[in-house]
Amino acid sequence: MQTASVTPDAISSVLSNPSFDSSSDRPEIVVQVVDLKPIGNRYTFSANDGKTKVKAIFTASLTPEIISGKIQNLCLIRLIDFTVNDISSKSTKYFLVTKCEAVGSVLDSEINLESNSQEEEEATTEPKRQKLDHSPAPVTPVSDVKMDVSTGITLKPKQDFVSKSASQIMSEQRGNAAPAARMSMTRRVHPLVSLNPYQGNWTIKVRVTNKGVMRNYKNARGEGCVFNVELTDEEGTQIQATMFNDAARKFYDRFQLGKVYYISRGSLKLANKQFKTIQNDYEMTLNDNSEVEEASSEEMFIPETKFNFIPIEELGMYVNQKELIDLIGVVQSVSPTMSIRRRTDNEMIPKRDITLADESKKTVVVSLWNDLATGIGQELLDMADKSPVIAIKSLKVGDFQGVSLSTISRSNVVINPESPEAKKLKSWFDSEGKEVSMSSIGSGMSPLAKNGSRSMYTDRVLLSQITSNPSLGEEKPVFLSTRAYISFIKPDQTMWYQACKTCNKKVTEALDSGYWCEGCQKKYEECSLRYIMAVKVTDSSGETWISSFNDEAEKILGCSADELNKLRSEEGEVNEYQTKLKEATWSCHAFRVSVTQNEYNGEKRQRVTVKGVAPVDFAAETRLLLQDISNKNNNQASQ
């Protein structure tokens, strides 16, 4: 059995070829792992081919292989998929290994072919010469053959031997390929998951899965235009790309929904978590110098859809949030198609409701809109008696009937997906789920109980129990109830924002007149004001600042933001604005709040947000106190 060894000169051949593509046809490359070290959740090493070393990084997906011992220091690995990247601060390159496999056993030392090359050359020179003497000679013109009379040996002219590097051989192979195949082979395509802001040159191959509209903006830095696209690669990884001004005008018509493009010379930065709608830590910016080239029909692909499923019982914390969710469930029922009149333009659009259930024994209603209602919806109606499993990507969570889900333009529905989650869910439903009594996730939730809240008198705590626990809400939002007094409202804070009267989202001033709504993709002549107010609350145990939005702030102040703005602009001996704020202080309320952790300047801070507010119900407060006394007496009796 032949012992596995490194591929000689593999690294130098790769580094000398700027158009090297690790995914194209090429001889396999085997290297030795040297100096394996952990850095964060990844591992770095030096790839050694016996003569040359190069810095390399294993992606996080290979970390389990290292922890399990399949990949170790001084072992040999076969590189299956990798890219060659530049270190921007240095004129050096490194390998980013995304897929590999261990070959052979771990060696005792580092392979060094240079030290043995001279001995091997001396040892093999004589046998090679003898072998050459016995090899068939090429046909040589008689006029070029000479005879050494003294020895009787026939002398032939020296044969020219041209050595070819790996890059030259690959170049010749490309020359023989078809034009489309030749184009694909000359590109070194990076997967989206491998990109980061510190990389040098890269090229990605992506499909446009969502395209925004061109919109104009006006701010303190001037006027301009902007639009964005959502891009998905073959592995299903997504990223948002944004273009401003000249770049927006240059690429707006070039990007077409559903087409595949090669993109290079863009830049990356950390995504703003407050506004991002896709799962990626980075967002891309393309400028006027960026390159966008449409791929040929031979290079098209259908992206793999990646899901991050949320159980139905955990949907409460996503209600009315900007974050979109993915859901998997068993179809319980499908309604006929109905037509709904859209408020913005009075257009009739089709809608269909489906009810889904999962292993949490909860159900939720999902509204399919437009083509999904008439296409996929009809297909689900025809097979509803078979209880198919469906997976839906990018759903918006609303508060209708407590919790409800709706598809949007970028939503994707897959019927009976071939995934472990789908098989597990179907197995559960067939074995026991079909006989289990299900309850709606929104059942029993009062109007005050939307946004993940329940009753003002469940999970009751004092303020000190919130502020004394700095890790509260670190993993996911925690919903609690409390009773406290409004002790201070800062009068000079930014208390409201300009909002669309239709969808309540923030609007920006249009270039000529009016206001532009990104949510409705329309311009309106007027807008409304909505609260984003911070107030200090106090109880017997302590105090803290809480954030209150429009509906809750109106109940605290007793007026709308538009009305308060009028009072602020009025002049007179009595400051009606200040008077209104003072009237709201030292009033007692029952609050339902969420506690989360936000990061500011690298420091984690606790954020308490009002999800519901109501006047104190003294009868309910009395019952709560009596219940607490009864519980304490029972505890003392049991001791």
Side-chain angles (χ1 to χ4, degrees):
M1 180 177 178
Q2 187 177 1
T3 304
S5 183
V6 295
T7 306
D9 298 320
I11 293 176
S12 59
S13 297
V14 172
L15 296 180
S16 64
N17 182 12
S19 61
F20 181 81
D21 182 358
S22 70
S23 62
S24 61
D25 294 335
R26 63 192 181 348
E28 69 174 30
I29 294 178
V30 177
V31 296
Q32 184 184 31
V33 176
V34 179
D35 299 328
L36 183 64
K37 298 176 183 177
I39 294 184
N41 64 340
R42 300 184 180 189
Y43 281 79
T44 65
F45 69 102
S46 293
N48 174 36
D49 67 0
K51 294 183 180 180
T52 307
K53 291 183 187 178
V54 65
K55 291 289 184 182
I57 300 176
F58 288 118
T59 58
S61 61
L62 292 173
T63 298
E65 300 288 312
I66 300 170
I67 295 176
S68 66
K70 292 182 180 179
I71 299 176
Q72 302 181 41
N73 194 43
L74 299 180
C75 79
L76 300 180
I77 59 172
R78 178 181 292 107
L79 302 181
I80 299 174
D81 192 14
F82 67 99
T83 56
V84 183
N85 297 329
D86 298 312
I87 299 178
S88 56
S89 59
K90 303 178 182 179
S91 59
T92 56
K93 298 180 181 294
Y94 69 96
F95 288 2
L96 181 66
V97 181
T98 55
K99 189 175 182 181
C100 68
E101 61 179 0
V103 294
S105 57
V106 178
L107 304 181
D108 295 331
S109 60
E110 181 180 326
I111 297 176
N112 188 351
L113 300 181
E114 291 286 354
S115 60
N116 300 327
S117 60
Q118 186 173 356
E119 296 178 7
E120 291 177 357
E121 183 179 354
E122 293 176 355
T124 57
T125 298
E126 188 62 28
K128 283 183 179 179
R129 184 181 296 115
Q130 294 175 1
K131 185 177 180 180
L132 287 172
D133 288 343
H134 291 84
S135 61
V139 178
T140 307
V142 177
S143 58
D144 292 339
V145 179
K146 299 181 181 179
M147 175 74 71
D148 190 325
V149 179
S150 60
T151 60
I153 297 176
T154 303
L155 301 178
K156 300 177 181 177
K158 181 179 179 181
Q159 301 294 316
D160 293 331
F161 176 76
V162 180
S163 61
K164 297 181 180 180
S165 66
S167 60
Q168 288 173 313
I169 295 172
M170 292 177 67
S171 178
E172 291 180 1
Q173 291 174 347
R174 295 190 188 104
N176 296 329
R182 188 161 60 246
M183 181 187 300
S184 176
M185 293 176 68
T186 56
R187 298 181 190 271
R188 177 160 51 90
V189 176
H190 292 67
L192 285 178
V193 72
S194 71
L195 300 187
N196 63 70
Y198 313 105
Q199 265 178 277
N201 296 328
W202 46 258
T203 299
I204 57 174
K205 181 182 176 183
V206 289
R207 179 185 288 270
V208 178
T209 49
N210 191 47
K211 179 181 176 181
V213 299
M214 180 81 77
R215 65 181 181 89
N216 297 320
Y217 65 88
K218 180 180 180 181
N219 55 31
R221 291 177 291 182
E223 303 175 359
C225 59
V226 61
F227 92 100
N228 56 60
V229 291
E230 289 181 8
L231 308 172
T232 308
D233 68 4
E234 198 162 3
E235 297 176 354
T237 306
Q238 294 181 302
I239 195 168
Q240 178 175 290
T242 304
M243 288 138 280
F244 294 90
N245 302 323
D246 291 343
R249 288 184 284 269
K250 177 180 179 181
F251 294 123
Y252 184 77
D253 292 330
R254 187 173 306 180
F255 278 120
Q256 298 296 320
L257 189 64
K259 291 189 176 182
V260 176
Y261 298 87
Y262 290 102
I263 302 176
S264 59
R265 302 184 71 179
S267 60
L268 276 80
K269 65 178 182 179
L270 284 172
N272 188 333
K273 294 184 178 180
Q274 185 178 357
F275 301 108
K276 74 173 187 175
T277 57
I278 58 178
Q279 297 296 322
N280 199 314
D281 292 333
Y282 303 114
E283 58 186 9
M284 184 182 298
T285 301
L286 301 179
N287 56 41
D288 194 31
N289 295 321
S290 299
E291 296 180 357
V292 177
E293 182 180 341
E294 184 179 346
S296 63
S297 57
E298 290 86 353
E299 300 170 289
M300 300 288 278
F301 65 89
I302 303 298
E304 175 189 351
T305 303
K306 289 186 177 180
F307 295 95
N308 182 25
F309 297 120
I310 303 296
I312 293 177
E313 64 179 355
E314 297 180 12
L315 291 176
M317 66 183 68
Y318 296 92
V319 172
N320 291 340
Q321 302 298 312
K322 292 184 178 180
E323 184 176 357
L324 303 176
I325 64 102
D326 303 338
L327 187 76
I328 188 170
V330 180
V331 175
Q332 299 288 283
S333 64
V334 182
S335 75
T337 303
M338 61 194 85
S339 295
I340 304 296
R341 187 179 300 276
R342 188 158 49 195
R343 288 183 297 175
T344 55
D345 54 10
N346 287 327
E347 182 184 351
M348 301 298 292
I349 55 176
K351 174 193 174 186
R352 190 192 299 267
D353 289 337
I354 61 173
T355 302
L356 301 181
D358 67 5
E359 291 172 286
S360 64
K361 301 176 184 178
K362 296 289 185 181
T363 63
V364 68
V365 175
V366 181
S367 296
L368 305 179
W369 296 90
N370 297 311
D371 292 342
L372 289 177
T374 56
I376 292 283
Q378 183 61 44
E379 187 176 347
L380 289 173
L381 181 63
D382 295 339
M383 59 191 304
D385 58 330
K386 299 179 182 178
S387 300
V389 173
I390 67 169
I392 311 178
K393 186 168 185 64
S394 300
L395 286 168
K396 185 177 180 180
V397 187
D399 57 22
F400 180 69
Q401 294 182 344
V403 179
S404 60
L405 302 175
S406 292
T407 60
I408 58 176
S409 59
R410 70 171 72 97
S411 298
N412 184 23
V413 181
V414 181
I415 301 177
N416 291 325
E418 293 292 331
S419 66
E421 295 91 346
K423 293 177 181 177
K424 180 182 177 184
L425 183 59
K426 185 62 174 175
S427 175
W428 166 81
F429 184 79
D430 291 340
S431 60
E432 58 176 298
K434 63 176 67 175
E435 307 296 336
V436 172
S437 176
M438 305 280 186
S439 63
S440 171
I441 180 64
S443 62
M445 297 179 72
S446 66
L448 291 176
K450 62 186 179 181
N451 294 334
S453 56
R454 291 183 287 174
S455 166
M456 296 295 177
Y457 300 95
T458 57
D459 310 315
R460 175 62 71 87
V461 296
L462 296 171
L463 292 179
S464 61
Q465 293 175 273
I466 298 175
T467 57
S468 63
N469 186 358
S471 62
L472 191 66
E474 191 169 26
E475 294 184 359
K476 62 180 181 180
V478 176
F479 295 93
L480 302 168
S481 299
T482 189
R483 178 171 62 89
Y485 289 86
I486 305 292
S487 57
F488 181 63
I489 303 175
K490 195 175 181 181
D492 57 349
Q493 64 176 301
T494 303
M495 298 188 67
W496 47 69
Y497 67 94
Q498 295 176 324
C500 172
K501 288 187 174 183
T502 302
C503 69
N504 295 331
K505 291 187 176 181
K506 186 177 180 179
V507 297
T508 56
E509 293 184 8
L511 290 177
D512 43 5
S513 63
Y515 303 89
W516 172 260
C517 176
E518 182 67 21
C520 299
Q521 297 293 314
K522 290 182 66 177
K523 190 181 81 169
Y524 297 96
E525 292 302 320
E526 295 180 349
C527 69
S528 62
L529 300 180
R530 291 179 66 83
Y531 284 115
I532 46 169
M533 184 175 67
V535 300
K536 183 184 284 188
V537 294
T538 305
D539 68 3
S540 60
S541 68
E543 61 182 14
T544 189
W545 286 93
I546 62 176
S547 299
S548 179
F549 294 96
N550 192 70
D551 294 346
E552 292 74 25
E554 285 185 352
K555 294 175 183 177
I556 293 172
L557 293 175
C559 66
S560 67
D562 288 302
E563 293 169 342
L564 190 62
N565 184 45
K566 290 180 181 179
L567 295 178
R568 193 175 194 174
S569 59
E570 289 179 357
E571 296 181 358
E573 294 182 3
V574 180
N575 191 327
E576 297 293 339
Y577 171 72
Q578 295 275 11
T579 302
K580 194 67 177 177
L581 297 185
K582 288 181 180 179
E583 288 176 354
T585 57
W586 299 115
S587 58
C588 191
H589 300 274
F591 296 99
R592 186 70 180 174
V593 299
S594 70
V595 185
T596 57
Q597 294 283 338
N598 284 0
E599 190 168 323
Y600 181 75
N601 288 338
E603 178 184 352
K604 287 189 176 181
R605 295 184 179 181
Q606 196 175 67
R607 179 182 175 90
V608 184
T609 305
V610 179
K611 295 298 183 181
V613 61
V616 175
D617 183 341
F618 291 101
E621 290 289 336
T622 302
R623 288 192 294 270
L624 182 64
L625 289 172
L626 291 173
Q627 183 64 43
D628 287 343
I629 293 171
S630 176
N631 291 339
K632 288 181 180 179
N633 290 337
N634 292 335
N635 291 336
Q636 290 176 356
S638 62
Q639 292 176 357

